[in-house]
Amino acid sequence: MNLSAAALAWGLVGCAGIVQAWAQAPVATERAAASVERGRALLLQRQDTGCVLCHQIPGLPAGGAIGPSLHGLAERSTLSQARLHIADARRFNPQTIMPAYLSTEGLHNVAAGLQGQTILTPQSLEDILVYLFQPTARTPVIAP
Ligand code: HEC
């Protein structure tokens, strides 16, 4: 799926089925090209993504505590759930303060130059996921 096809699919967000299908399958190209290094850099950005402002993230300097720690994410969440959560956390909690990173639906006060743009691209979302789901991001095992 190319970017414009992804944007088109996302534009039809009213149809939960489409989003569900998108979350589960057609990211194969982005997934294959995903980069742990790019994911790390994206997670660290304070201005563009801001993830580290709200989350503790494995392998990164101390982060914020507004959202849950992302340590051990792979043990409590599937890849699809995490993908949907980052794409649009309102699906899990309509009152969430986490920004919808891959949606332009229902946003208010968007600067003129940024209207219709998502914060992440499907590729940068996969980069983030491949970082968060790498084995070293699991909960550290503390010896008894
Ligand atoms: C303004 C604060 C804020 C920012 C910025 C933010 N999040 Fe969140 N995040 C939250 C909160 C709060 C939750 C708890 C559930 C909810 O309200 O959606 C959450 C939940 C999550 C979850 C689900 C955690 C779990 O235990 O299942 C993931 C994954 C996640 N965030 C990843 C990210 C990523 C990746 C970014 C950056 C692209 C990010 N978040 C940016 C506040 C934030």
Side-chain angles (χ1 to χ4, degrees):
M1 176 148 76
N2 64 28
L3 251 177
S4 53
L8 183 66
W10 200 252
L12 301 170
V13 160
C15 289
I18 292 178
V19 175
Q20 208 65 40
W22 164 79
Q24 270 148 26
V27 287
T29 320
E30 288 85 358
R31 188 103 204 104
S35 146
V36 171
E37 288 73 33
R38 280 200 311 263
R40 182 177 197 279
L42 284 160
L43 285 160
L44 257 179
Q45 280 172 3
R46 290 174 169 262
Q47 291 200 319
D48 293 342
T49 67
C51 313
V52 81
L53 299 176
C54 291
H55 293 286
Q56 301 277 351
I57 301 174
L60 299 189
I66 296 169
S69 164
L70 299 184
H71 285 262
L73 179 68
E75 290 145 327
R76 62 178 183 272
S77 164
T78 65
L79 192 64
S80 316
Q81 284 167 341
R83 183 179 291 123
L84 275 178
H85 211 124
I86 300 167
D88 192 347
R90 295 170 298 182
R91 302 193 146 266
F92 296 87
N93 169 10
Q95 263 78 53
T96 188
I97 54 163
M98 177 162 155
Y101 284 94
L102 201 62
S103 171
T104 57
E105 293 292 304
L107 305 179
H108 306 285
N109 299 324
V110 179
L114 296 176
Q115 279 173 10
Q117 291 181 34
T118 55
I119 305 172
L120 293 176
T121 63
Q123 182 64 67
S124 55
L125 177 46
E126 290 316 304
D127 294 340
I128 285 176
L129 287 169
V130 85
Y131 180 91
L132 292 176
F133 278 75
Q134 62 186 323
T136 51
R138 289 178 181 270
T139 313
V141 179
I142 298 158

